[in-house]
Amino acid sequence: MSTMTASAPARELPTRWKRFRRSLRANPSMLPTLAAVALFVAMLIYGELAYGRILQLNTMSNLLINNAHLVIIAVGMTFVILTGGIDLSVGAVIALSSVAGVMLANTGVNAWIATAVMILIGTLIGSISGVLIQYFDVQPFIATLAMMFLGRGLASMLSTEPQRLDNDSPIRALGTPIKVIDGPKVNDLVVTIGVLLAVVVVVAAFFALHRTRTGRTVYAIGGSENSAQLMGLPVHRTKMFVYIVSGTLAGVAAVVYTARLGMGQNITGVGWELDAIAATVIGGTLLTGGAGYVLGSVVGAFVLGLMNVLVTRDGTIKPEMVTIITGGILLVFVVLQRAVTARQRE
Amino acid sequence: MTTSDEAASRVAALLRKSWCWPLVAIVVLLGINVLNDPDYLRISVNAQNGNLFGNLIDILRASAPIIMIAVGMALVVATRGIDLSVGSIMVVSGAVAMEFLKDIDSAQSIGAASAAVAIALVVSTLIGVINGLLITALGLQPFISTLIMMLAGRGIAKVITSGQNTNAQNEPFQWLTNGYVLGLPVVFIIALAIVGVIAFVVRRSALGLMIEAIGVNPKASRMAGIRPIGILMAVYMLSGLLAGIAGIFAVGSVMTVDVSRTGYQMELDAILAVVIGGTSLAGGKFYIGGAVMGSILIATLDKTIVFLGIPASATPAFKAVVIIALCLVQSRRVGSLFGRRRRRISPPSPTPHLVTEKEGVSA
């Protein structure tokens, strides 16, 4: 990406541009990720020109804080989609985990234990999906669809009322804003522990995918599961691993989201699995698996988040249109992927 | 001895029918209800108009929309596809019909009712066409194309009704779901008639075999001269159309479209009914009789859960458990535990398979 920096001296630009084009031709799967970055930048510029007050610290802080949970589940989804699978249960895991966590915390259980339980609920559901898919040959989307319904059903059994976290609960501390840069008036750079958690998750996922054997196995399974198996890679273990990662990260996202809102409900997170898939696909991960970048998914999540901001600022676009626009963007990027892979095959 | 052998083989043949196990499950569920309330199965006759009413009739009425989407889903699944958009198509269809009837505002007009039905069905078929085009022309995976449609569909419905839950008045339209013919609910009779026509067309022509051939091996079927594009388009269009009919059934009884709840998560009901009916999600075969019986089972399950006093919002958990159990039963690992039984059933000779299917449909 450093080849793109506009600050490069003018005489170096042609060779850099050439090198950039060459690397793109060698690796056309980068194209969708670059398209996502371009889209994000274009949206920022358009938003700044049309509505103003976009490119400033507090708007960016809110973008980070409001989408920390989406970034986390998008990272989890990236692992799964890279192996050629899918996880439709993340939204329901968040619902179950947040309702259970809030109810547990309000009974006076230690906040750390409650948080751990919330994350472990995700791990457990991810493990069940993984076992079904790996050991019983259930198709990933059926297994995780079943988990989605199980999660939502269990959450509804716990409670169908919104559960408010006690005001003095230590879990809320995760969502308390921390000022990093004190700008003029309200224009501050603010983060929450939730945002920092998201950053940690992204860095850890980047490291795991690009610098470890497990990460390479994840890519290999997506490229061709049979080949990976024949090469002696631990396919079984790794396939279990990706669903456990996705479930666990959904649990972490539930903690972050619950801490920010201070409540949980059985209808929390309806449709978030689609947002996570959209973020991952927009970020350049192939739905068939084998190619993609975890940082791309982060960009994808911010594209979706920024779109929400722009739609709210615009005011003339009905909020109902957001899902149609998300669907449209997802479609465009899936078609783009299709075009890229078709060209690769030629 | 020969008679006992004959009887045993006849029982074995019956057990292999796609609609047999769902029927057993329905009987079990009804049995649970009867234990709670001995009068559960009673069907009474309304003395004034001769209509039947009772819990069983309610179940039949509730199963009609599920039957519609399940039959469409069975055909889609047979081609190795999936249609996750049926629930959203239902709400779009309902929203179109309700908005139209609200604008016309003539409570008695049969013309208005049929126009509303026609427009709703055209719109839902159109969504099916878009699904089909995404899958055939663009070559996208069925599940992602229909997932996008599922996402966008509910948005479209909200745009149509401006986010409101539109209600309207039209008696002929409402009669479609609440009315009676010969003492039975119209909606169930319509559903059975449509299924009958579909079953007749796909099983008496080569269409059914072509659909299954695509699911068995897309490449081989193309080499055998089957054009997958036309068949796939037809299958997704039909699924859209049937989901549209299901949407009309779903909004007709209360004459209100609830943009966030009508058809919500119905795609799982359809998949569940199809799997219960013996159709493998791996594609390559379909059992319409099984899908119908599976749909009635789901309607029975829904009613039972409410009857037993469990909150209706918890039903998804039960369905999830059922579908996981079914997937486990279908999986090879569990199957190998019952190796001897499976080997007897598994030889895939096409002719007897077709015969059982015809019987399953006609029954």
Side-chain angles (χ1 to χ4, degrees):
Chain A
M1 213 64 75
S2 62
T3 47
M4 277 188 83
T5 44
S7 61
R11 57 185 173 74
E12 264 187 48
L13 207 64
T15 56
R16 288 203 165 197
W17 175 242
K18 239 181 233 167
R19 204 190 304 160
F20 169 68
R21 279 189 53 182
R22 202 185 310 143
S23 76
L24 197 61
R25 202 171 305 145
N27 192 6
S29 67
M30 257 175 70
L31 193 68
T33 310
L34 290 178
V37 173
L39 179 66
F40 184 66
V41 173
M43 281 168 83
L44 278 179
I45 295 171
Y46 172 78
E48 181 64 34
L49 293 179
Y51 315 115
R53 290 184 293 112
I54 294 285
L55 279 173
Q56 59 179 19
L57 290 176
N58 65 342
T59 311
M60 290 298 119
S61 308
N62 283 334
L63 191 64
L64 282 174
I65 294 171
N66 294 340
N67 294 293
H69 63 276
L70 180 57
V71 168
I72 296 174
I73 52 176
V75 167
M77 191 65 80
T78 310
F79 276 84
V80 176
I81 292 184
L82 276 177
T83 65
I86 196 91
D87 188 352
L88 299 177
S89 66
V90 287
V93 168
I94 290 173
L96 174 61
S97 170
S98 61
V99 171
V102 171
M103 289 174 93
L104 200 61
N106 285 355
T107 57
V109 174
N110 182 307
W112 290 111
I113 297 177
T115 313
V117 168
M118 288 174 81
I119 297 174
L120 286 177
I121 287 175
T123 312
L124 178 69
I125 292 196
S127 321
I128 301 176
S129 306
V131 168
L132 285 175
I133 292 161
Q134 181 52 48
Y135 295 101
F136 294 100
D137 288 331
V138 182
Q139 284 158 297
F141 80 91
I142 292 293
T144 55
L145 195 68
M147 284 303 129
M148 163 179 164
F149 279 74
L150 188 66
R152 266 212 202 281
L154 291 177
S156 309
M157 278 188 205
L158 286 176
S159 167
T160 49
E161 302 287 312
Q163 295 291 317
R164 253 183 71 80
L165 199 59
D166 287 341
N167 280 330
D168 52 353
S169 172
I171 296 180
R172 279 180 184 266
L174 293 174
T176 322
I178 306 165
K179 252 181 223 176
V180 180
I181 300 173
D182 198 358
K185 288 181 189 170
V186 290
N187 192 9
D188 310 325
L189 180 65
V190 181
V191 293
T192 59
I193 297 181
V195 173
L196 299 179
L197 260 177
V199 173
V200 170
V201 164
V202 170
V203 171
F206 182 84
F207 181 79
L209 277 177
H210 297 289
R211 294 282 178 271
T212 65
R213 283 186 218 170
T214 312
R216 251 169 290 165
T217 312
V218 168
Y219 278 94
I221 292 175
S224 164
E225 198 176 326
N226 282 340
S227 312
Q229 184 94 54
L230 291 174
M231 280 191 281
L233 294 173
V235 170
H236 290 232
R237 193 157 35 111
T238 312
K239 264 177 96 180
M240 281 287 297
F241 169 76
V242 294
Y243 289 96
I244 294 175
V245 165
S246 175
T248 310
L249 288 184
V252 175
V255 173
V256 170
Y257 184 76
T258 311
R260 174 161 72 82
L261 245 65
M263 56 171 261
Q265 202 180 350
N266 63 330
I267 53 165
T268 302
V270 170
W272 284 4
E273 50 282 337
L274 295 167
D275 288 345
I277 295 169
T280 310
V281 170
I282 291 169
T285 303
L286 287 189
L287 264 175
T288 42
Y293 308 95
V294 85
L295 294 181
S297 305
V298 176
V299 176
F302 285 132
V303 166
L304 293 180
L306 186 58
M307 189 184 77
N308 269 318
V309 172
L310 294 186
V311 166
T312 319
R313 282 285 177 84
D314 186 88
T316 57
I317 302 171
K318 292 177 190 163
E320 298 98 69
M321 290 293 288
V322 172
T323 55
I324 300 180
I325 299 171
T326 313
I329 297 179
L330 182 56
L331 180 62
V332 168
F333 274 84
V334 172
V335 173
L336 185 66
Q337 283 189 356
R338 184 77 201 162
V340 168
T341 46
R343 239 180 59 192
Q344 239 173 338
R345 227 173 274 150
E346 274 167 19
Chain B
M1 176 157 168
T2 47
T3 48
S4 74
D5 268 6
E6 219 168 80
S9 71
R10 210 173 281 169
V11 168
L14 194 68
L15 287 181
R16 244 175 278 162
K17 292 267 167 61
S18 58
W19 45 263
C20 175
W21 289 111
L23 190 62
V24 171
I26 292 172
V27 171
V28 170
L29 281 178
L30 290 178
I32 294 172
N33 290 339
V34 171
L35 288 181
N36 276 285
D37 174 10
D39 278 347
Y40 190 82
L41 293 181
R42 185 177 344 164
I43 296 176
S44 335
V45 180
N46 186 330
Q48 282 167 2
N49 46 24
N51 295 336
L52 302 172
F53 62 93
N55 288 316
L56 287 182
I57 302 295
D58 280 350
I59 288 173
L60 291 186
R61 195 200 303 278
S63 68
I66 309 176
I67 290 176
M68 291 288 89
I69 52 175
V71 169
M73 187 71 82
L75 297 178
V76 171
V77 164
T79 66
R80 272 199 207 173
I82 192 90
D83 189 351
L84 296 177
S85 64
V86 288
S88 293
I89 297 179
M90 282 176 71
V91 70
V92 170
S93 153
V96 169
M98 285 298 113
E99 278 293 316
F100 180 80
L101 288 176
K102 194 181 133 201
D103 288 348
I104 294 281
D105 198 26
S106 58
Q108 302 296 332
S109 161
I110 294 180
S114 30
V117 170
I119 295 175
L121 295 189
V122 166
V123 171
S124 8
T125 313
L126 216 62
I127 299 181
V129 169
I130 298 173
N131 278 335
L133 281 177
L134 292 178
I135 292 158
T136 56
L138 292 178
L140 301 181
Q141 289 158 286
F143 110 85
I144 198 70
S145 324
T146 54
L147 195 68
I148 292 170
M149 226 12 118
M150 167 182 167
L151 181 69
R154 211 156 278 280
I156 294 170
K158 283 182 182 166
V159 169
I160 290 172
T161 66
S162 332
Q164 303 296 310
N165 294 340
T166 307
N167 52 2
Q169 291 303 319
N170 184 294
E171 279 176 20
F173 190 89
Q174 196 163 12
W175 177 82
L176 281 178
T177 43
N178 286 1
Y180 286 89
V181 167
L182 305 172
L184 286 170
V186 172
V187 63
F188 186 68
I189 294 174
I190 296 176
L192 276 195
I194 293 171
V195 171
V197 171
I198 292 172
F200 183 80
V201 170
V202 295
R203 285 306 182 194
R204 295 287 156 177
S205 73
L207 198 63
L209 270 183
M210 290 183 185
I211 289 172
E212 293 185 332
I214 292 178
V216 172
N217 189 334
K219 226 178 239 173
S221 66
R222 199 165 52 238
M223 288 173 181
I226 296 170
R227 289 200 185 164
I229 291 184
I231 304 259
L232 286 175
M233 281 299 292
V235 165
Y236 284 96
M237 264 172 69
L238 184 66
S239 178
L241 174 67
L242 290 174
I245 298 173
I248 290 169
F249 290 168
V251 297
S253 56
V254 283
M255 292 304 279
T256 304
V257 58
D258 183 338
V259 281
S260 52
R261 308 226 7 220
T262 301
Y264 178 59
Q265 294 187 335
M266 287 293 273
E267 49 283 337
L268 190 90
D269 281 359
I271 295 171
L272 194 54
V274 166
V275 178
I276 290 174
T279 304
S280 158
L281 284 169
K285 55 184 175 180
F286 62 90
Y287 301 104
I288 288 179
V292 170
M293 204 47 95
S295 311
I296 299 175
L297 171 59
I298 288 170
T300 315
L301 182 68
D302 283 342
K303 292 273 176 205
T304 305
I305 286 168
V306 174
F307 181 71
L308 295 179
I310 302 165
S313 55
T315 30
F318 290 92
K319 290 178 187 168
V321 171
V322 174
I323 202 164
I324 292 168
L326 282 168
C327 284
L328 289 184
V329 171
Q330 279 187 0
S331 81
R332 215 173 297 152
R333 188 171 285 257
V334 174
S336 63
L337 292 178
F338 304 97
R340 279 182 61 204
R341 244 195 72 216
R342 273 185 77 87
R343 227 172 292 141
R344 219 189 300 156
I345 299 172
S346 60
S349 53
T351 340
H353 158 75
L354 198 65
V355 170
T356 48
E357 187 43 43
K358 272 176 193 162
E359 284 165 7
V361 166
S362 58

